[in-house]
Amino acid sequence: PSSRYVRKERDEGVASTLYDPIHRSLLAGLPANIGIKGEEREFTAARNRKFFIFPGSGLFKKPPEWVMTFSLVETTKLYARIVAEIEPGWLKEVAPHLCKAVYKQPEWKAEQGFVYAKESVVSGGLTLTDGKPVHFGPINPEVARGIFIREGMVPANLNTHGGWLKLHQQMLDEIQGLEEKIRRPGALLDSDAIFAHFDRLLPADVYSVKSLEQWLRNSKARIAMRMKDAMFPQSEPIAPSDYPEYLTFHEVDFNLIYTFDPGDELDGIALVCPTNKLAFLPDWAPDWLVPGWLEEKVNRLLRTLPKNLRTPITPIDQTARHFYHTCAGVMEQPLLDALSKWLQHEFKLPVDAGDFDEQSLPGFLRMKVIETDGEKIVRIHQSISDEHRLTAHQNSADLAFAKWRLKPGSVWPGDAMPEFIASNDSQQTRGYPALTAEKGKVGRQVFMNPVIAEYAHRAGLVQLFRIQRADQIKYAEKRPPLNPMLQLTLSSIDSDFLTDFFNAAIFEALTNDGRLAIRNGAIFLERAEFARSCFYEIAEQNAKLLETMMEQREEIVKSISELTADFDTLHDLEMQLAFLFRPGFLKTADVFGRYPRYLKAMQIRIQRIKNNAPADARKLTEIEPYQNRLNEKLLESDRIAEAFDLLEFAMLLEEFRVNRFAPEIKTPVKVSANRLDEAWQGLQ
C-alpha cells in the first residue's frame, strides 16, 4: 500500500497492527533504507546519506521521526519515494546482525540490587535507541561483579537479608568511629583490603544481591571479615580502650561524643551530662580528656611554658609521653596541678599551674559538657561554674525533695526537720532540710550542701525571731551598744554591719552560741522566750569583743606598714587582713570566737618575721597553693558574701595559718595539709 493510504487509514483510527507486520517484513529486506529526521525536513540514512521525502508523499507535510523508503531517486535532491513511518526498534528485531549494542556508565543501584548500564543500539551509524537502562550483570559479569563488590558490598551500600551485612556495617562503624576519635578521617579503613576479601570469596557469577543471596543459601559461606584485617597497618597499635565511650565519676556514667569538624562548637570531645547529674561531675573531669588525647594535650601545654622552664624538659615529645605513661590514670585533681607537681618532682623546676597558657590550646583539646534535660540540650558548657553546678544540683533536689519545700510565712514552717534525708534515687542522694529567710518571711527547703544548709538555717532562725519580736529588735537597733567611733569604723567596711551584728547576737542567744540544734517549732518557741531576755546582753558582750578586734586590726595595719619584709610576705598579710574584715564579715559563723585567735596569730607572726623572715617564707609556701586556689574560686563567685562553703574553707585555712605561724595558739579542730585537701575535694 502507498504511504498516502497508510497515513489516511491510521488517521481514521484503523489499528496499526494491520500495517506494522507488513512494514516489518519490508524492513527485513530494506534494512539500509531507513532514516531519522534532522533539520529542515532532511533525513539521515545509513552511512550518513542525506535524503528528503518526495513532496507528493502523504508524510511530506508532517514527517515522522523515523521512516523507511522503498526507493531513493536522485533528481535535484535525493528523494525517498513510497515512504512509511517505522519504529527504530524493529530493525533490532528483524536484522539483529546489523545492530550493535554499546554500554556506557555502568553504575551500582542499591535500590534495584544490581549494576545497571545505559544501552545504545547502533546500526549503519544511526543510533536506534539511546540510554536505555539495562541489567549489566548478564552482559558483562566480570565488570559488573567488580562494581557490585566495590560500590555495594565494601561500603555496605545494599539491601539484603544476609546476617553478614549487620556484622560488616558494625565493623565499618567502629573503624570510622575510631577515625573520628583519633581525628584522622580515612586513615584506618582499607577499602582495597575489604574488596580483596570479598573478591577472593565470591564466585565469578555473583554480581547482584539476588545472586549473592542465592550463593550464600547454597554454600552456607561466612563472608564477614575481622576488623583488624579491614584496617591499614599502624606503626603503633591503637587501643580502643584509650578512646572510651563514657567516663565514670562517683559511680555515674557520662557518655562521650567525638566530633571531627574543625571550627564547629562541638569539635573534639563532648561529655553528655543531665542537669540533675552536674553536681556529680568533678570540676577537673574535662581536664584529662581521654587517654588517647592526653599526650597531645600535655605536649601542647608544655610548649606554652616560658623558655627558661621549657628548655630543661626538652625533648618535649619525650617528656609528654613520660608524663602520660606515669600519670594517665591519676585523674583526681586538675591536670595543670598534676602536671606542675610532676615537673617539680621529675625536673626540680619551680613550675606552677599558672605558668601554662591553657587558653592557647586549640578548641578540640578542651572538653565540652552538654547539659541535657531528657532529649533536650539545655546548654553547652566550656566550663561549669560553682554557681551553675550548685543551682543544677539544687534543681535536682527540687524534684527529689519537693515535699520538703514550703512557702514562706511568719511561723515555724511544717513539722520537725531531721538533720538530713535521703532521696529514693539510685544514688541515695542526701539532702539537708533547713529554714530559709525570704523577704521578711521564713520558708523551708532542702539543700544538697550541708554548709550552705547550715547558714540558711541560721538565717531562718534569726529571721523568725525578728518577725516574732519585731518591736524589741527595732528598739535595740536604735540604741546599739557600740560607741560612735566603732560604728564609724564599721560603716567604712560594711554599710549593713548593724543588722549582721544583732543577727549574730540573736543566733547566739537562741542556740547557746551554736551548741543547741533547733529543728522544730516547739523548741524554737522555748528558746525564743529565753533569747528575748538575754540577746541584748549578749550584744553588749560582743560589742566589747568587736572593739578589741578592731583595735587589734589597727595595730596590725600599723605593724605591717613598719615591717621590713619581701613583697610576698607583706602582700599576704595585707590580703589576709582585708579578707577577714570584708563586707559581711559579721555573718561568719562564730566570728567572735574565731577572729580573736586569728588576729593574735597575725601579731605573733609579724613579730617572728622581724626575727626570722626566711622561716616565715618557707611556711608561706605551704599556705599559698590553697590560698591561690581559694582566691580563684572567690573571684568566680558573683556574691562572695553568700559563698558560704568557700568561706568555711577559708576559715579552715585560717586555722591552718594559726597552726603554721603561731602553733602555741590551740586550734579547735585538727588541721593539716591533708585535711585541707580533703575539705577542698569535698567542695568539688
Side-chain angles (χ1 to χ4, degrees):
S2 70
S3 59
R4 182 175 63 255
Y5 294 116
V6 171
R7 172 61 66 90
K8 180 177 182 296
E9 294 293 343
R10 288 190 175 182
D11 290 343
E12 291 176 355
V14 179
S16 64
T17 53
L18 296 176
Y19 305 101
D20 288 352
I22 299 173
H23 293 154
R24 285 194 182 95
S25 299
L26 293 172
L27 183 60
L30 302 168
N33 286 12
I34 62 173
I36 181 172
K37 187 176 71 173
E39 297 180 358
E40 299 296 331
R41 301 179 180 272
E42 183 181 65
F43 281 77
T44 301
R47 294 182 292 278
N48 204 31
R49 289 184 300 166
K50 308 295 182 180
F51 68 86
F52 298 86
I53 297 177
F54 185 69
S57 170
L59 299 180
F60 177 75
K61 291 183 179 180
K62 293 183 179 180
E65 187 73 16
W66 284 87
V67 297
M68 176 184 67
T69 178
F70 184 78
S71 66
L72 292 168
V73 178
E74 186 168 3
T75 56
T76 56
K77 296 179 181 179
L78 184 62
Y79 286 108
R81 293 177 176 273
I82 310 179
V83 181
E85 181 181 1
I86 64 169
E87 296 294 335
W90 292 350
L91 187 61
K92 186 178 177 182
E93 297 173 8
V94 301
H97 58 290
L98 298 178
C99 300
K100 179 181 179 181
V102 178
Y103 301 93
K104 298 179 181 179
Q105 303 175 7
E107 183 181 355
W108 167 249
K109 282 293 184 181
E111 298 82 4
Q112 286 77 22
F114 58 79
V115 176
Y116 91 99
K118 295 180 178 180
E119 180 189 62
S120 297
V121 179
V122 180
S123 178
L126 299 179
T127 301
L128 303 178
T129 59
D130 187 27
K132 177 185 177 182
V134 294
H135 187 350
F136 193 55
I139 298 167
N140 193 330
E142 181 179 358
V143 174
R145 178 178 178 275
I147 296 174
F148 169 61
I149 296 175
R150 176 75 67 185
E151 299 182 15
M153 297 186 69
V154 170
N157 181 28
L158 70 169
N159 299 315
T160 178
H161 301 295
W164 70 273
L165 183 61
K166 183 177 180 180
L167 297 174
H168 184 63
Q169 184 65 65
Q170 181 179 346
M171 179 194 72
L172 295 179
D173 291 343
E174 289 180 5
I175 295 175
Q176 291 166 355
L178 193 53
E179 289 176 342
E180 288 262 326
K181 292 176 180 179
I182 67 173
R183 297 185 66 80
R184 289 162 54 197
L188 301 180
L189 184 65
D190 188 351
S191 298
D192 290 338
I194 301 175
F195 177 88
H197 169 78
F198 290 130
D199 186 45
R200 184 176 63 255
L201 294 177
L202 268 57
D205 58 349
V206 173
Y207 45 69
S208 65
V209 168
K210 183 177 180 180
S211 59
L212 173 65
E213 290 177 343
Q214 184 176 1
W215 174 71
L216 287 173
R217 281 196 301 270
N218 296 334
S219 66
K220 308 296 183 183
R222 297 181 179 273
I223 62 173
M225 68 186 303
R226 297 179 300 180
M227 180 173 170
K228 66 177 184 178
D229 295 331
M231 296 171 60
F232 290 114
Q234 301 297 307
S235 57
E236 293 184 9
I238 297 174
S241 59
D242 286 344
Y243 306 91
E245 296 296 328
Y246 60 87
L247 294 176
T248 303
F249 302 101
H250 300 297
E251 300 182 2
V252 178
D253 294 336
F254 297 90
N255 292 329
L256 299 178
I257 297 175
Y258 296 81
T259 303
F260 180 74
D261 189 3
D264 186 78
E265 182 181 13
L266 290 177
D267 183 41
I269 303 177
L271 182 146
V272 181
C273 180
T275 297
N276 62 354
K277 300 296 183 186
L278 278 176
F280 294 100
L281 193 63
D283 60 352
W284 44 259
D287 291 3
W288 296 79
L289 299 176
V290 294
W293 289 28
L294 179 60
E295 183 178 336
E296 180 177 358
K297 181 171 183 177
V298 171
N299 192 315
R300 291 179 181 249
L301 283 172
L302 293 176
R303 295 179 189 278
T304 68
L305 287 172
K307 186 176 181 180
N308 65 312
L309 297 176
R310 191 171 67 247
T311 302
I313 64 174
T314 54
I316 288 179
D317 291 349
Q318 182 176 330
T319 303
R321 188 171 298 109
H322 184 31
F323 173 83
Y324 166 72
H325 289 298
T326 304
C327 302
V330 186
M331 296 173 56
E332 297 178 354
Q333 59 182 315
L335 174 60
L336 295 185
D337 289 348
L339 183 55
S340 57
K341 290 177 182 178
W342 182 81
L343 291 173
Q344 293 167 16
H345 180 266
E346 293 289 326
F347 294 90
K348 312 304 179 188
L349 291 173
V351 181
D352 186 74
D355 293 325
F356 300 97
D357 182 10
E358 192 173 20
Q359 295 304 314
S360 67
L361 295 180
F364 76 88
L365 287 178
R366 293 193 291 270
M367 182 183 287
K368 294 81 177 171
V369 176
I370 302 176
E371 181 185 348
T372 61
D373 181 8
E375 298 297 323
K376 179 184 176 183
I377 295 179
V378 178
R379 183 178 174 186
I380 298 176
H381 299 269
Q382 300 297 324
S383 62
I384 304 177
S385 65
D386 287 343
E387 289 80 11
H388 190 91
R389 185 190 305 277
L390 181 60
T391 301
H393 208 163
Q394 287 178 333
N395 287 342
S396 68
D398 289 345
L399 299 176
F401 307 122
K403 65 180 182 180
W404 288 90
R405 175 175 289 182
L406 295 177
K407 292 182 178 180
S410 57
V411 297
W412 183 275
D415 301 324
M417 293 182 293
E419 183 180 350
F420 68 87
I421 55 178
S423 68
N424 57 2
D425 61 8
S426 61
Q427 303 297 324
Q428 291 292 297
T429 306
R430 277 192 175 190
Y432 301 88
L435 298 181
T436 58
E438 305 177 35
K439 296 181 180 179
K441 296 183 178 181
V442 177
R444 186 183 76 178
Q445 63 176 282
V446 178
F447 295 86
M448 306 303 294
N449 185 305
V451 173
I452 294 176
E454 181 182 346
Y455 272 87
H457 192 65
R458 170 178 170 157
L461 291 173
V462 171
Q463 179 86 315
L464 191 56
F465 184 85
R466 281 180 170 274
I467 291 171
Q468 297 184 358
R469 305 288 177 181
D471 292 341
Q472 186 179 0
I473 299 298
K474 186 176 181 181
Y475 180 84
E477 288 182 334
K478 287 182 177 180
R479 298 166 178 79
L482 301 168
N483 65 61
M485 184 59 68
L486 181 58
Q487 292 189 53
L488 184 62
T489 303
L490 289 171
S491 64
S492 67
I493 298 172
D494 184 358
S495 59
D496 198 29
F497 75 91
L498 195 59
T499 299
D500 293 342
F501 172 77
F502 275 108
N503 284 350
I506 293 170
F507 181 76
E508 188 175 337
L510 283 172
T511 65
N512 191 17
D513 199 14
R515 296 182 181 88
L516 296 175
I518 302 177
R519 310 291 300 180
N520 65 62
I523 293 179
F524 173 80
L525 291 176
E526 179 183 329
R527 291 302 304 176
E529 183 63 27
F530 175 81
R532 179 185 66 83
S533 61
C534 68
F535 92 91
Y536 194 83
E537 181 182 347
I538 292 174
E540 290 177 325
Q541 296 171 0
N542 288 345
K544 294 178 181 179
L545 292 173
L546 186 56
E547 187 172 356
T548 302
M549 287 161 50
M550 299 309 293
E551 290 173 356
Q552 286 178 289
R553 174 176 177 265
E554 292 302 319
E555 292 174 4
I556 292 172
V557 170
K558 181 180 179 182
S559 297
I560 293 174
S561 66
E562 298 172 351
L563 188 63
T564 301
D566 61 42
F567 173 80
D568 289 342
T569 299
L570 294 175
H571 177 70
D572 182 68
L573 286 167
E574 291 169 350
M575 180 189 67
Q576 181 185 6
L577 194 64
F579 176 76
L580 288 176
F581 292 94
R582 66 195 179 277
F585 78 95
L586 288 173
K587 289 186 174 75
T588 306
D590 192 26
V591 62
F592 298 109
R594 287 169 160 174
Y595 271 44
R597 289 187 298 105
Y598 300 161
L599 296 172
K600 181 62 176 176
M602 288 188 73
Q603 291 174 316
I604 294 174
R605 178 188 176 189
I606 291 172
Q607 187 60 45
R608 286 180 174 156
I609 291 172
K610 296 177 182 178
N611 300 328
N612 191 351
D616 182 89
R618 287 194 298 271
K619 294 176 181 179
L620 182 57
T621 59
E622 301 179 51
I623 306 294
E624 284 181 326
Y626 301 103
Q627 188 66 60
N628 292 338
R629 194 182 302 174
L630 175 64
N631 291 344
E632 290 177 4
K633 289 296 184 182
L634 288 173
L635 288 173
E636 292 175 5
S637 177
D638 295 331
R639 305 179 70 179
I640 293 178
E642 297 180 7
F644 299 120
D645 49 350
L646 290 176
L647 295 176
E648 278 302 301
F649 179 84
M651 294 302 102
L652 185 62
L653 182 56
E654 289 296 328
E655 300 292 350
F656 189 53
R657 285 177 175 275
V658 172
N659 176 271
R660 302 307 297 131
F661 294 120
E664 60 267 38
I665 299 177
K666 301 300 181 183
T667 58
V669 295
K670 291 183 178 180
V671 64
S672 64
N674 288 338
R675 176 74 186 278
L676 284 171
D677 288 333
E678 291 174 3
W680 186 261
Q681 190 62 39
L683 284 176
Q684 309 315 308

